Amino acid sequence: MENQDTKTKKKTTKKTEVNSTKSVAKGAKKASSTTKKTTTRTTTTKKATTKKAPAKKTATKSTTKTTRNSKNTNSTKSKSTSKKSNVEKKSKDFIIEYYDLPYRYNQTIVKILAQTPTTLFVYWDISDEDRQNYINSYGEDFFNYTKPYLIVHNITKNTSYEIEINDFANSWYLRTEEPDCKYEILLGRRKIKNLNDTTIPQNFIYVTSSNKLDTPNNHILLENVFSNSPVTFKNVKTNSISHSTYGNLKFMPNMSKLYNTHKFYESIYKEELFIYNNHHTISNPSSSY
Amino acid sequence: MNNNPKGYVSFVLHAHLPYVHHPESDDYLEEEWLFEAISETYIPLLLNFSKLEEEKVDFRITMSMTPPLLSMLDSKLLQRKYINYLKKHIELCKKEVKRTVYDGHLNSLSKYYLDRYSNDLHVFKEVYNCNLIQGFKHFQDIGVLEIITCGATHGYFPILYVNEKTVRAQIAVGVQTYEKYFGRKPRGIWLPECGYVPEADKYLKEFGIEYVITESHGILYANPTPLYGTYAPIVSPDGVIAFGRDIESSRQVWSSINGYPGDFNYREFYRDIGYEADYDYIKPYIAHDGVRVNTGIKYYRITGKTDYKEYYNLQWAMDSVEKQAGHFFDSRQAQITNLAPHMHTPPIIVCPYDAELYGHWWYEGPDWLYILFKKIYYDKCDYKLITPGEYIDKYPEIQVCSPCRSSWGANGYSEVWLNPTNDYVHRHLHRAGDKMVELAHLFPNEKKKFKKQALNQCARELLLAQSSDWLFIITNGTMVDYAKKRIKDHIGRFNKLYEQIKTDTIDEEFLKDISKKDKIFPEIDYMIYY
């Protein structure tokens, strides 16, 4: 049913080469560096690259944040290590595998995720069976005469807007105005404007709806502070509850300094922010219409 | 040390590496991530903790040790491979000692590395019997180290929770793995990537987790606004306590402008003999196909902001360590003096870092911690070190707030793990999660041994596919092929096994094969997805 493109080849030599297999395995097991190195280093395919990866991997969290000066030398070096070959190998004790991700799962589905407080990521698909049902109901050209649409419903504010997408995409980034809200998305289709066709209705033809998603908050909720609303304390050992207030706000000037945490992130994630700020010009696959 | 402290400082080191285990080949240099971390971070930390213990310095530190890291430290195969790695390094160091006789300074550095790697081998084999987990457990048992757990494979909750059962399984297996190695339940959890979503709270409670660590705005943007910002924990409506990262102290260590690790006397990470030595000479010690890689033997100090580098000087580096430990010590004193009068409980300054920053990236980091901890113990100051667990026991009155959905990735939300370079992955992870839940419901409490093994292996493949590391590496743009291959392999194995289970055509040889490759969580029970 699913379009799985997985292959597993078994080494034909597996059973016949018992002796040599064993000696290799034993060499490895003994962990004697000499045996091991000679048995394995002669084999063909190599996995090069690697060493730089941990470098880069933790680097984004650590060193790139610190002034390691020789960035230049670093970048040239990491390039030099990027030679790569798939590991098509090796030890006769193991099956050689190769997998690709399924192209699609043939489900009717739409899911939303929050990338940031104001950017949603949506992915979708319509199963072959459902596609056939639409064709049965609305005619052979249903998918040619209609275009996909998403209705973005802000449940918290009870507002909605609709965006036109296209059949070349199976996912999309969306900007929203309001952080800290609950959203739901409806996937559907609409007839292409000015089309001379009477079998397809003019309204939004509903296909399916998404999970409900709460987007993150993106600021200090100073409104609670200024209204001096009561705050609750709980003793986590006894579960007893007590109340307090924001008081005379003596503490708050300190906290307000932190109001713009983006500045803070800029100071520690300088390089990454450069990357992500580029992503901010959202590029979705475009329609050819 | 102060017996009536006005405030507390809490160090939390997050020790994590993705599960890299390739019995099928010796060519995966990715396995060296572990070896480098052992030599540069885990052993130096253990040695410094030991020194503090011997010197009777009372200190406190918290570390998360993730289930993949524990599984790798416990792997006999990887232990053997680490010993080989060390032997190879010792051999190279011996050659270096001969090669560098022409220069006294360089020669003393090469002897230093020879000592260091020889000592690693001694410590690893003789002191810890190849099992570093016991080393860390000892410090937990004597009460100076609080070890917390993590999601099973560092799966990123804010994206996985579309299927909540997959988050529950990450937590369940994280807690089970912890219990296996440490013989008790974890009090806290390091949320993978500090990714907080309130939907996970009920499962954290279900498995007995008391507290989490969040990024600063997890607390600052909470609702209602926490009275004391990140200087006191908050407790969620579901009863999970959240501690937030302190911005000021983070900046002192992390900042690209004036962070400690950039000190000119510190070791320069990017000048490594793997890249610089004569090619034929270094060839046996770099990648098998001859590509130059880091060896860990580095002779230069940062020196300045240009490419001009001078030799590393151990004494100068230690002078900077002293100076910076003093600076950090004084800064916390000032911070706590400022804060304490405004609070009804003593402030807690939470300082979370990647453990691998200490030693692997910031070579002198473990020594810095050692000096700092001694200062806090001996010098006059108004604060003490504490673990989050101890703080909760002392000050159980905690403000009730909902922490903000957040992470510690760039910009503070999910962009690192969800952007145009890696967004295609999520539908596969979600779909596999749904299928796993489906399998658990189709075949609950399976009795047939073989089918049960297959179901359990499906759970392992799913968990391994979910590691946030693969997404991170793809975003980062280096080693992308390896990360993509890992996602394809685990999803591929999962899907194949899923079909075989449903059609009752399980290929015994295939199952055995992937069970040897992905040999993590031997006790897993797929019914966690029920």
Side-chain angles (χ1 to χ4, degrees):
Chain A
M1 202 175 73
E2 286 171 6
N3 185 0
Q4 270 188 48
D5 189 15
T6 66
K7 287 169 259 172
T8 307
K9 289 178 221 150
K10 281 169 204 169
K11 273 248 164 156
T12 44
T13 50
K14 188 166 193 300
K15 294 276 145 78
T16 51
E17 291 187 6
V18 181
N19 290 335
S20 60
T21 306
K22 282 218 173 117
S23 68
V24 171
K26 240 183 165 179
K29 268 184 193 142
K30 271 200 290 187
S32 124
S33 61
T34 44
T35 330
K36 196 170 169 193
K37 294 286 143 67
T38 45
T39 48
T40 55
R41 291 214 171 187
T42 46
T43 46
T44 46
T45 334
K46 304 291 175 167
K47 186 88 179 178
T49 40
T50 43
K51 199 67 179 259
K52 214 59 198 183
K56 278 297 167 159
K57 182 180 149 29
T58 3
T60 3
K61 277 186 205 155
S62 52
T63 324
T64 46
K65 285 164 213 158
T66 69
T67 322
R68 295 296 189 184
N69 311 308
S70 54
K71 290 282 156 54
N72 297 336
T73 42
N74 171 34
S75 60
T76 42
K77 281 168 191 171
S78 50
K79 264 176 204 148
S80 73
T81 58
S82 64
K83 198 178 111 198
K84 184 65 176 210
S85 57
N86 270 332
V87 173
E88 292 277 344
K89 318 199 30 205
K90 173 150 253 178
S91 163
K92 297 180 178 66
D93 282 346
F94 288 92
I95 296 173
I96 294 168
E97 300 171 274
Y98 179 80
Y99 300 99
D100 271 328
L101 292 173
Y103 170 65
R104 59 190 281 254
Y105 287 101
N106 197 14
Q107 297 177 283
T108 298
I109 195 170
V110 54
K111 295 267 188 202
I112 25 172
L113 301 169
Q115 187 200 33
T116 74
T118 52
T119 322
L120 306 179
F121 173 71
V122 193
Y123 70 80
W124 65 85
D125 193 14
I126 304 177
S127 71
D128 294 342
E129 195 188 345
D130 283 339
R131 294 177 78 88
Q132 194 55 49
N133 290 339
Y134 286 107
I135 289 169
N136 294 344
S137 306
Y138 300 112
E140 215 30 53
D141 281 321
F142 177 75
F143 286 93
N144 297 329
Y145 290 169
T146 58
K147 288 175 97 179
Y149 279 77
L150 298 174
I151 294 178
V152 183
H153 182 205
N154 181 333
I155 298 169
T156 311
K157 304 277 169 179
N158 198 19
T159 57
S160 294
Y161 66 93
E162 192 175 299
I163 62 155
E164 182 187 318
I165 46 179
N166 64 61
D167 282 321
F168 301 98
N170 62 5
S171 67
W172 209 263
Y173 290 90
L174 298 170
R175 284 271 188 208
T176 61
E177 294 302 316
E178 290 276 348
D180 204 7
C181 284
K182 193 183 283 295
Y183 286 91
E184 183 182 25
I185 283 183
L186 310 184
L187 171 68
R189 301 190 69 91
R190 271 187 188 282
K191 190 159 83 171
I192 294 169
K193 282 185 189 108
N194 307 322
L195 196 74
N196 215 356
D197 172 279
T198 49
T199 52
I200 302 169
Q202 291 292 345
N203 55 311
F204 179 82
I205 301 159
Y206 170 86
V207 176
T208 189
S209 14
S210 74
N211 53 313
K212 293 188 175 65
L213 176 90
D214 290 285
T215 56
N217 177 24
N218 66 356
H219 62 285
I220 293 180
L221 299 168
L222 287 173
E223 49 272 33
N224 327 122
V225 180
F226 294 131
S227 66
N228 204 16
S229 44
V231 292
T232 307
F233 278 78
K234 184 167 105 175
N235 184 312
V236 294
K237 300 287 173 192
T238 63
N239 283 329
S240 64
I241 297 288
S242 58
H243 296 282
S244 181
T245 64
Y246 288 96
N248 59 6
L249 303 183
K250 249 198 248 161
F251 191 76
M252 281 303 142
N254 285 321
M255 237 167 94
S256 307
K257 278 186 216 153
L258 306 174
Y259 189 83
N260 189 349
T261 46
H262 190 77
K263 283 230 163 75
F264 164 65
Y265 293 116
E266 264 178 357
S267 76
I268 61 172
Y269 293 112
K270 220 174 177 187
E271 296 185 4
E272 292 93 327
L273 279 174
F274 178 71
I275 301 169
Y276 298 114
N277 286 338
N278 288 347
H279 287 164
H280 284 175
T281 49
I282 296 176
S283 56
N284 285 308
S286 61
S287 160
S288 68
Y289 289 99
Chain B
M1 195 181 57
N2 189 312
N3 287 322
N4 190 17
K6 284 188 191 154
Y8 296 93
V9 172
S10 185
F11 273 88
V12 185
L13 302 189
H14 174 51
H16 167 64
L17 287 171
Y19 187 73
V20 177
H21 176 264
H22 293 289
E24 75 275 23
S25 166
D26 280 341
D27 285 350
Y28 285 95
L29 280 172
E30 287 82 357
E31 284 179 340
E32 292 195 0
W33 297 346
L34 175 70
F35 309 152
E36 289 169 3
I38 293 176
S39 276
E40 293 176 337
T41 297
Y42 310 143
I43 287 180
L45 285 175
L46 285 170
L47 293 178
N48 279 307
F49 296 167
S50 296
K51 270 201 284 178
L52 292 167
E53 184 192 2
E54 279 162 28
E55 294 168 20
K56 299 196 165 42
V57 174
D58 190 26
F59 69 99
R60 290 290 182 282
I61 191 165
T62 304
M63 284 181 75
S64 50
M65 298 191 71
T66 68
L69 177 62
L70 291 169
S71 306
M72 289 191 292
L73 290 174
D74 192 33
S75 155
K76 294 276 178 286
L77 174 77
L78 293 175
Q79 290 168 3
R80 279 197 303 272
K81 285 188 175 183
Y82 175 61
I83 289 170
N84 283 340
Y85 168 92
L86 284 179
K87 285 180 174 165
K88 209 71 191 154
H89 272 71
I90 291 165
E91 182 187 303
L92 173 61
C93 287
K94 284 180 177 159
K95 287 188 186 173
E96 278 296 281
V97 170
K98 280 188 194 149
R99 186 185 69 85
T100 57
V101 282
Y102 66 90
D103 185 306
H105 190 156
L106 208 51
N107 197 237
S108 70
L109 282 172
S110 63
K111 284 176 180 157
Y112 160 78
Y113 282 113
L114 175 60
D115 280 353
R116 207 166 149 151
Y117 284 111
S118 308
N119 192 47
D120 283 354
L121 186 60
H122 165 75
V123 168
F124 188 72
K125 280 174 73 176
E126 315 305 330
V127 179
Y128 291 112
N129 200 18
C130 303
N131 187 341
L132 296 186
I133 300 171
Q134 290 309 309
F136 287 103
K137 182 173 182 293
H138 164 75
F139 293 105
Q140 165 143 293
D141 293 344
I142 64 168
V144 294
L145 169 65
E146 183 165 307
I147 303 173
I148 59 177
T149 191
C150 190
T153 55
H154 218 256
Y156 182 64
F157 295 179
I159 296 180
L160 291 182
Y161 88 99
V162 170
N163 182 334
E164 288 193 11
K165 288 217 169 99
T166 60
V167 168
R168 182 176 178 272
Q170 282 276 342
I171 296 166
V173 176
V175 170
Q176 285 158 11
T177 309
Y178 183 98
E179 288 184 79
K180 173 183 170 184
Y181 289 111
F182 300 113
R184 43 162 274 200
K185 282 189 173 298
R187 295 190 67 177
I189 191 169
W190 179 277
L191 298 171
E193 315 293 2
C194 293
Y196 178 81
V197 279
E199 288 79 1
D201 282 6
K202 53 185 173 292
Y203 305 118
L204 295 173
K205 278 307 263 188
E206 179 187 345
F207 292 97
I209 297 291
E210 291 174 63
Y211 70 87
V212 302
I213 311 293
T214 71
E215 177 54 290
S216 314
H217 59 289
I219 307 296
L220 295 175
Y221 298 172
N223 189 8
T225 302
L227 214 46
Y228 301 126
T230 58
Y231 308 120
I234 57 177
V235 58
S236 78
D238 284 328
V240 173
I241 298 161
F243 288 85
R245 165 150 87 152
D246 172 57
I247 290 184
E248 191 183 320
S249 57
S250 294
R251 188 185 279 133
Q252 281 164 353
V253 178
W254 289 117
S255 168
S256 57
I257 296 134
N258 47 16
Y260 296 147
D263 189 283
F264 292 165
N265 286 330
Y266 286 158
R267 195 179 78 157
E268 171 60 61
F269 185 87
Y270 294 110
R271 293 289 297 271
D272 188 293
I273 63 164
Y275 291 100
E276 303 189 340
D278 180 65
Y279 187 71
D280 289 331
Y281 170 80
I282 203 71
K283 198 156 177 259
Y285 308 99
I286 52 177
H288 291 182
D289 64 350
V291 169
R292 286 179 179 270
V293 293
N294 281 323
T295 60
I297 299 172
K298 301 166 201 284
Y299 290 133
Y300 295 90
R301 61 184 182 91
I302 293 171
T303 314
K305 290 181 190 285
T306 64
D307 280 346
Y308 171 72
K309 302 291 166 195
E310 289 174 357
Y311 288 144
Y312 185 59
N313 182 315
L314 283 160
Q315 188 52 53
W316 293 4
M318 286 317 289
D319 292 346
S320 290
V321 163
E322 287 272 356
K323 197 180 72 193
Q324 291 182 341
H327 179 259
F328 191 91
F329 175 85
D330 293 341
S331 306
R332 299 291 75 72
Q333 173 68 25
Q335 193 179 16
I336 285 164
T337 308
N338 256 332
L339 290 166
H342 304 295
M343 296 180 60
H344 82 281
T345 50
I348 180 169
I349 311 295
V350 180
C351 309
Y353 306 97
D354 270 331
E356 294 77 20
L357 169 69
Y358 288 84
H360 179 62
W361 289 104
W362 176 16
Y363 189 64
E364 298 78 5
D367 294 327
W368 178 85
L369 273 181
Y370 166 77
I371 301 278
L372 176 66
F373 287 0
K374 271 179 91 165
K375 266 189 181 308
I376 294 172
Y377 183 71
Y378 285 117
D379 293 5
K380 189 178 172 317
C381 68
D382 292 328
Y383 62 92
K384 275 176 88 166
L385 292 167
I386 200 166
T387 66
E390 286 177 318
Y391 188 89
I392 295 168
D393 293 342
K394 272 188 197 294
Y395 307 103
E397 290 264 324
I398 299 173
Q399 190 185 347
V400 182
C401 309
S402 299
C404 173
R405 295 162 191 276
S406 52
S407 85
W408 79 343
N411 291 330
Y413 299 97
S414 296
E415 286 165 86
V416 173
W417 305 279
L418 171 58
N419 63 59
T421 67
N422 58 19
D423 56 24
Y424 70 95
V425 177
H426 296 294
R427 70 170 73 220
H428 300 286
L429 298 180
H430 288 153
R431 182 70 187 119
D434 292 347
K435 283 175 166 182
M436 191 65 232
V437 173
E438 178 201 334
L439 285 176
H441 284 85
L442 281 175
F443 310 105
N445 302 310
E446 178 61 48
K447 291 285 178 295
K448 278 186 233 153
K449 189 178 155 221
F450 218 61
K451 197 163 184 177
K452 191 175 170 184
Q453 281 174 11
L455 287 159
N456 286 335
Q457 192 60 31
C458 268
R460 293 185 190 103
E461 300 300 338
L462 172 62
L463 287 168
L464 288 169
Q466 289 171 338
S467 296
S468 67
D469 307 84
W470 316 137
L471 301 164
F472 176 84
I473 294 172
I474 294 172
T475 296
N476 218 23
T478 17
M479 299 311 302
V480 172
D481 290 351
Y482 181 75
K484 287 185 172 173
K485 175 174 156 47
R486 289 295 300 270
I487 293 167
K488 285 192 223 170
D489 282 355
H490 297 305
I491 292 290
R493 288 167 189 162
F494 176 91
N495 283 334
K496 189 168 166 180
L497 211 45
Y498 166 88
E499 292 298 334
Q500 291 183 357
I501 291 168
K502 282 186 75 174
T503 53
D504 222 358
T505 54
I506 300 166
D507 175 346
E508 187 177 343
E509 207 178 340
F510 167 68
L511 177 60
K512 272 190 180 161
D513 182 78
I514 62 171
S515 303
K516 275 191 268 175
K517 289 169 180 162
D518 297 328
K519 196 181 169 188
I520 191 172
F521 311 135
E523 291 87 8
I524 202 168
D525 180 356
Y526 70 96
M527 287 300 286
I528 45 172
Y529 290 97
Y530 188 75

